[in-house]
Amino acid sequence: MQSIISIDKLSKTYASGFQALKSVDLEIRKGEILALLGPNGAGKTTLINLIAGTDHPTTGRIHLAGRDITTTSPTRRAKLGVGRTFQTPALLPSLSVLDNVILG
């Protein structure tokens, strides 16, 4: 079955020297469901940010539907249709659904 996300030896070290990810390998095939679980500081958000293109890896490769997005510009990555949903919604109850979407 076709891989939708393929990650090879992905690492992220911040300027402070903190290593958030160390040589992560992951393959998600079409139709699979994945849950990222772990304690605070395990690198879950960093991994999602790298896949979504809001951050750049230090080393490694990310392939999305067969396309290497590691060297793709953030604007181009946004057009690939990667989205994410957070655990805690950040909705303003005084606004309509449409207004919350526009604001988000």
Side-chain angles (χ1 to χ4, degrees):
M1 190 169 280
Q2 178 187 6
S3 291
I4 295 299
I5 298 174
S6 180
I7 296 173
D8 185 44
K9 296 181 180 30
L10 193 67
S11 296
K12 176 64 180 182
T13 303
Y14 290 98
S16 67
F18 176 73
Q19 189 172 35
L21 295 175
K22 183 178 179 180
S23 194
V24 173
D25 293 318
L26 176 67
E27 185 172 342
I28 304 171
R29 292 187 175 96
K30 186 175 182 177
E32 288 184 327
I33 297 172
L34 173 76
L36 291 176
L37 304 173
N40 290 346
K44 302 177 298 290
T45 301
T46 300
L47 180 60
I48 294 298
N49 287 341
L50 294 171
I51 293 169
T54 58
D55 203 352
H56 298 286
T58 306
T59 62
R61 294 279 176 222
I62 303 168
H63 288 87
L64 188 61
R67 180 181 293 169
D68 184 349
I69 65 165
T70 312
T71 57
T72 306
S73 73
T75 303
R76 181 100 173 144
R77 275 182 275 186
K79 293 179 182 177
L80 294 174
V82 175
R84 55 188 167 174
T85 302
F86 297 97
Q87 178 178 339
T88 306
L91 301 176
L92 299 172
S94 61
L95 297 178
S96 69
V97 172
L98 180 59
D99 288 339
N100 270 288
V101 170
I102 291 169
L103 187 62

